[in-house]
Amino acid sequence: MKVLQRNGLVNEVNFDSKEGKEAFWHTSAHVLAQAVKRLYPDVKCAIGPAIANGFYYDFEFPFSFSDEQLDAVEKEMRKIIKESLSLQVYEVSKEEAIAYMEEHKEPYKLEMIKELAEDEKISFYKQGEYAEFCAGPHISNVSAIKEIKLLSVAGAYWRGNEKNKMLTRIYGISFPKALQLEEYLHMIEEAKQRDHRKLGKELGLFTIFDQGPGFPVFLPKGMILKNLLIDYWREIHRKEGYMEISTPIMLDKSLWETSGHWDYYRENMYTTEIDEAEFAIKPMSCPGGMLVYNLQPRSYKELPMRMAELGLVHRNEKSGTLHGLMRVRALTQDDAHIFMMEEQVIEEIQKVAKLIDKVYAKFGFEYEVELSTRPEKSIGSDEEWEMATDALRNAMDAMNVSYKINEGDGAFYGPKLDFHLKDSIGRTWQCGTIQLDFQLPQRFNIEYIGPDGEAHRPIMIHRVVFGSIERFIGILIEHYAGKFPAWLAPVQAKILPVSDKYCAYAGKVAAALREAGIRVEVDERDEKLGYKIREAQLDKVPYMLILGEKEENKQTISVRSRDGEKQELGEMSIEKFIGLMK
C-alpha cells in the first residue's frame, strides 16, 4: 500500500502497521467528508482524524441528520472509491489558505488556520474536486479502500469544549479486504454482548447514579469481585517484598507544585479550600509516597524499598469521555513506588515485568509491550531521559521481551513501558505500566546514605499491574462475558431445592459450604426446577446444586455446571464437592 507524505514522497507500508492504518483511515475520513459535501454542499466541515479503530468526521449540518442520510452518505462514499481518485499534496501560504476557506465558507477550518504561525506553509491534500488542509499522510489512491462501513452518529462539541457548538460526529471503519470488515463487524457484535455496562447491571455488580456521573458504585456481588482482586493483589505483593501504605486523599497545593502535577496535570485535578489554603484531591499517589520516604533518613541497606498503595484517586475527566468502569472520575489505582540505587534499576524493572506477566497469566491474558519515549511537555535533562530510556530498553532486551516504540508518549517525568493485554475477542487494553523517574527524587530532595557514608539520590519506579481496580474489573467482565472462573465468581454455587420440602436441607448444605469458604446462594422461590436452572445460568453461576428427596435421604448433592458438553457432573457428597472447589 502506497502512502503519500506531506513532502510529496511516496512510501510503501503495510496496512497492519500503525502508520498504514492511520493513513488508510485518515484517507477514509476525507472520503467521508467528500461524500457529505457532494450530497449536502452547505454542510460545514470540522475535523476528521483516524482513531484507534477506524475514523470519524465532525460536521455542522443545517438539518437533523438521520440514519436514512447515513445510508446515502455511505453509498456516495462507495461511488467515490470506484472513481479511483489519486491524492495530490501541495503547499500554500497561510494567506492563500485563509482565502480558500473563506471562499468555501468553512468557518471551523478557518479558525484552525488563523491560529497557525504567519510564515507557516500549509499543506493541502486533494482528491477529485475535494481539497482539505491536512498534514497527512494519506494513501495515494482511494481505490485501495475495498470495504467501508459507517457505524454510528453522535454529538460532539467543537474542540471538546461544552461552551462551543454541538456538531454531528460520524464514525466509520474501512479495510483493504472485504473479509476484514466481516471479521470486525462480528467482533463488534460480540463486544455488544460482552459490554460490561450491560452485564454489570444484569449480574448486579455495579451501577453509576445520575447524581454521580463517573463515580461507580459497587453492589454486594461487585464488592466480592473487587475484594477478591484486592486480596490477590495483597498476597502477591507481600510475597514480592512490598510494604503497603495509605496516603491522604487530598494534600496541600504546594506538594503538587513540587511534584510538577500543578503545571502538567492541573486541568485534570479537583481542588478545594481548607483553612483558607488550597488543597488538591490526589490524581496520583506518588507525591504522598515521597513524603513517606522522607519521614526519616534512609540507608542503602534499605534499598530497593518497595512501597505499594491501593490509592483512591480522582481525575476530572470530561463527561463525553466517561464510559462505565473503563473511564471514570474516581478509581482505585494499584500503585507502587520502588526506590533504588542505580545498579539495582535493571533488576527491579525485570522483577516488575515478571510480576505483571504472572498476574496476566492468572487471568488468561496475552499482552504486548510498548516503550514510550520523551513527550514534548516534560521535565529533566536529555542525559537523564536517555539513561532512563536505555534502562527500560536494556531490561526488556535482557529478558528477550519484544516491544514497540511509541515515540513521544512517555509521562512528563520519565519514559515508560506500557503493557497492552489482549482479551478473548482480540481487543487490546493498556493496563500495567513501568515508569522510570529521575525527576521526583530531585524535586523532593530525597536521599539515602551510601556505603561511602555520603548522601546519594535514589532512582524511582512508578508502576501499576491492574492499572485501576475498576477498569480491570470492566475488562474482566468483557473478557469472560460475565462467566468468571469459579475462584473469581461472586457466587460460586447456587443451591436449587426442587420444592419447599427440601429448603431445610438446602440450608444445611449452604452452611457446610460457607464454612468451607465457598460463596453460595439458595434459591428458595416457589418455582419449577427448570426455571431456577435457567435463572442460575443467566446469572452465570459456575455450579448449580440440585437437591431433592434422593439427595436428602443420602445426604448428597447433584451437581450441574453452567455450560459445556458435560453439564451434569452427577451426584456426589458435600465433602467431594468442597474438594472439587478447593
Side-chain angles (χ1 to χ4, degrees), residues 514-543:
R514 288 182 183 126
E515 182 66 25
I518 295 169
R519 299 182 293 278
V520 62
E521 286 183 353
V522 181
D523 188 343
E524 295 182 328
R525 294 176 299 170
D526 186 19
E527 299 284 358
K528 291 182 178 179
L529 180 61
Y531 179 82
K532 290 182 178 183
I533 290 172
R534 283 193 297 276
E535 287 283 293
Q537 287 174 324
L538 287 173
D539 287 341
K540 306 184 189 299
V541 178
Y543 295 102

Side-chain angles (χ1 to χ4, degrees), residues 166-226:
M166 175 70 80
L167 304 177
T168 299
R169 176 169 294 179
I170 301 176
Y171 286 95
I173 190 76
S174 58
F175 292 100
K177 295 178 183 177
L179 182 60
Q180 289 170 305
L181 177 63
E182 187 180 325
E183 290 171 347
Y184 178 80
L185 294 177
H186 175 74
M187 188 193 77
I188 290 294
E189 192 56 40
E190 181 69 22
K192 286 180 184 176
Q193 300 305 313
R194 293 169 176 263
D195 191 317
H196 75 284
R197 295 166 299 178
K198 169 178 171 285
L199 290 173
K201 182 178 180 181
E202 292 173 0
L203 300 177
L205 299 175
F206 74 94
T207 189
I208 297 175
F209 295 123
D210 292 340
Q211 296 88 339
F215 299 95
V217 175
F218 282 95
L219 304 175
K221 289 179 181 177
M223 276 306 299
I224 292 172
L225 184 56
K226 184 176 182 180

Side-chain angles (χ1 to χ4, degrees), residues 384-397:
E384 289 165 337
W385 273 86
E386 184 178 352
M387 191 186 305
T389 306
D390 285 345
L392 293 173
R393 183 183 288 113
N394 293 339
M396 293 297 96
D397 289 345

Side-chain angles (χ1 to χ4, degrees), residues 245-252 255-256 274 279-289 291-292 309-314:
I245 63 171
S246 177
T247 60
I249 199 168
M250 66 175 75
L251 291 161
D252 188 272
L255 181 79
W256 306 103
I274 302 174
F279 278 64
I281 299 173
K282 67 177 180 182
M284 286 119 178
S285 297
C286 31
L291 294 181
V292 172
E309 177 173 11
L310 291 165
L312 179 60
V313 302
H314 290 73

Side-chain angles (χ1 to χ4, degrees), residues 104-117:
H104 288 81
K105 298 185 172 77
E106 293 288 2
Y108 299 104
K109 304 289 187 189
L110 193 59
E111 180 181 324
M112 290 187 288
I113 291 171
K114 285 181 176 179
E115 292 173 353
L116 300 175

